[in-house]
């Protein structure tokens, strides 16, 4: 009995000591310091510090400070940083299925459908099946929703105007479909490279997240013409990568705090960003940005190229096929449900 009591006391003391020891992590973001999603990462870090009574500290780095773009994946996997924030399609060089993890052409048309799939459906489970193979843990970060469209210096009124043009677009499925549909050249630049490349003429057109993202980089100053909507990524999401070994070293309370802070970040950043996008769209209109829309014949070409590329991904490996089929099945269920609950205005 005395031995059990002694063991209990020692275990309690060790647990107490481990909770008082400060854990320090580094989080590499893809974003610039002025963006909403980066500012909310700072809030996430502050909340974690407060909830842990200063025993869990995450230092947040803006795009490129430690690693940039697709290199964030390797930085997290190697343990150079414990956590990263980027976009699933950026990791497509690691495995082709990452290219279809994010929104692709004719994917979920509403961000709520994508949120349901990843937060309540099997989306996150599938993503972690893929991430776990290389020692990572995956979480959805936030949803910009429908991207803005394509900005250009000279007017682009349809796919024929894109032929041979050099377009900044994220890697993976979106760029492959655009290249097939428009015969354009895809250049996957990271945020800090976009404005100077547009200014110098390295690229002719650019897609970059949402209306607020456009204003954040000042792209409308160089490219006052837009064609919408963003066929290539209608319900785009950002993600978190977490080093599995680092996560497993956390105490139960620290892990709960991290998961809670991530969920708060997801909801807050998604909604704040979308409200800001509505304001930003009006700002872009007032700045004289000229808007064009894809024609029905262009949409037909987009669909044809999209089906072609999706089928190619299904043939690449079984996981990509399972992922695409799972998303398409959920989209079908979502659409059937909302046939009865459409806007009646």
């Amino acid at each position: 009995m005395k031995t059990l009591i002694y063991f209990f006391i020692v275990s309690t003391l060790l647990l107490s000591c481990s909770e008082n020891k400060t854990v320090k992590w580094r989080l590499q973001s893809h974003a610039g310091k002025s963006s909403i999603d980066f500012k909310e990462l700072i809030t996430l870090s502050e909340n974690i510090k407060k909830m842990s009574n200063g025993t869990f500290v995450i230092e947040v780095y803006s795009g490129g400070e430690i690693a940039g773009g697709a290199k964030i994946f390797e930085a997290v996997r190697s343990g150079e940083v414990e956590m990263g924030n980027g976009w699933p399609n950026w990791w497509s060089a690691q495995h082709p299925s990452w290219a279809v993890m994010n929104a692709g052409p004719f994917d979920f048309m509403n961000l709520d459908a994508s949120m349901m799939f990843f937060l309540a459906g099997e989306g996150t489970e599938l993503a972690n099946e893929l991430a776990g193979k290389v020692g990572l843990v995956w979480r959805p970060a936030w949803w910009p929703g429908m991207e803005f469209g394509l900005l250009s210096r000279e007017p682009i009124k349809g796919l024929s105007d894109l032929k041979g043009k050099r377009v900044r677009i994220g890697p993976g499925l979106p760029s492959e479909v655009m290249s097939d549909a428009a015969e354009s050249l895809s250049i996957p630049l990271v945020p800090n490279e976009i404005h100077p490349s547009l200014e110098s003429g390295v690229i002719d057109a650019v897609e970059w997240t949402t209306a607020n993202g456009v204003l954040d980089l000042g792209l409308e100053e160089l490219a006052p013409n837009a064609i919408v909507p963003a066929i290539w990524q209608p319900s785009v999401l950002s993600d978190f990568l977490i080093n599995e070994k680092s996560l497993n070293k956390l105490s139960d309370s620290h892990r709960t705090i991290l998961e809670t802070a991530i969920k708060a970040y997801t909801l807050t950043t998604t909604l704040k960003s979308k409200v800001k996008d509505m304001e930003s769209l009006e700002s872009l209109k007032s700045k004289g940005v000229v808007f064009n829309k894809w024609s029905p014949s262009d949409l037909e070409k987009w669909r044809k190229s999209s089906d072609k590329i999706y089928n190619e991904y299904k043939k690449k490996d079984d996981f990509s096929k399972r992922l695409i089929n799972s998303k398409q099945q959920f989209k079908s269920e979502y659409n059937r449900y909302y046939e009865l609950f459409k806007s009646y205005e």
Side-chain angles (χ1 to χ4, degrees), residues 135-241:
L136 296 176
V137 174
W138 187 92
R139 293 289 183 269
W142 68 287
W143 278 263
M146 175 72 75
E147 289 202 340
F148 175 73
L150 200 64
L151 283 164
S152 58
R153 289 174 295 177
E154 302 298 325
I156 292 175
K157 298 183 178 180
L159 285 172
S160 60
D161 293 333
L162 271 175
K163 186 174 182 178
K165 293 288 195 301
R166 295 159 298 182
V167 182
R168 184 279 162 199
I169 185 170
L173 185 70
S175 63
E176 292 173 47
V177 174
M178 179 180 285
S179 294
D180 188 83
E183 297 181 52
S184 58
L185 304 174
S186 299
I187 304 175
L189 303 174
V190 295
N192 61 302
E193 297 172 331
I194 295 175
H195 194 283
S197 296
L198 194 59
E199 189 171 31
S200 65
V202 170
I203 55 176
D204 302 300
V206 59
E207 65 81 27
W208 178 244
T209 64
T210 60
N212 186 53
V214 168
L215 282 177
D216 187 49
L217 295 184
L219 300 179
E220 79 288 351
E221 301 167 1
L222 302 173
N225 299 283
I227 185 164
V228 297
I231 304 295
W232 47 91
Q233 283 190 322
S235 58
V236 63
L237 77 148
S238 174
D239 63 357
F240 284 121
L241 300 176

Side-chain angles (χ1 to χ4, degrees), residues 100-165:
V100 294
M101 191 69 68
N102 209 336
F106 303 95
D107 201 304
F108 300 123
M109 301 307 293
N110 304 85
L111 66 84
D112 62 324
S114 183
M115 291 177 78
M116 287 183 221
F117 178 72
F118 283 100
L119 293 175
E122 66 173 349
T124 295
E125 181 181 344
L126 285 167
N128 276 303
E129 182 180 335
L130 189 60
K133 294 178 181 180
V134 291
L136 296 176
V137 174
W138 187 92
R139 293 289 183 269
W142 68 287
W143 278 263
M146 175 72 75
E147 289 202 340
F148 175 73
L150 200 64
L151 283 164
S152 58
R153 289 174 295 177
E154 302 298 325
I156 292 175
K157 298 183 178 180
L159 285 172
S160 60
D161 293 333
L162 271 175
K163 186 174 182 178
K165 293 288 195 301

Side-chain angles (χ1 to χ4, degrees), residues 303-319:
R303 171 70 79 174
K304 184 177 179 180
S305 292
S306 177
D307 289 345
K308 172 186 172 183
I309 302 300
Y310 273 118
N311 285 330
E312 289 177 0
Y313 269 91
K314 285 183 178 181
K315 295 175 183 177
K316 286 185 178 183
D317 64 283
D318 181 63
F319 186 87

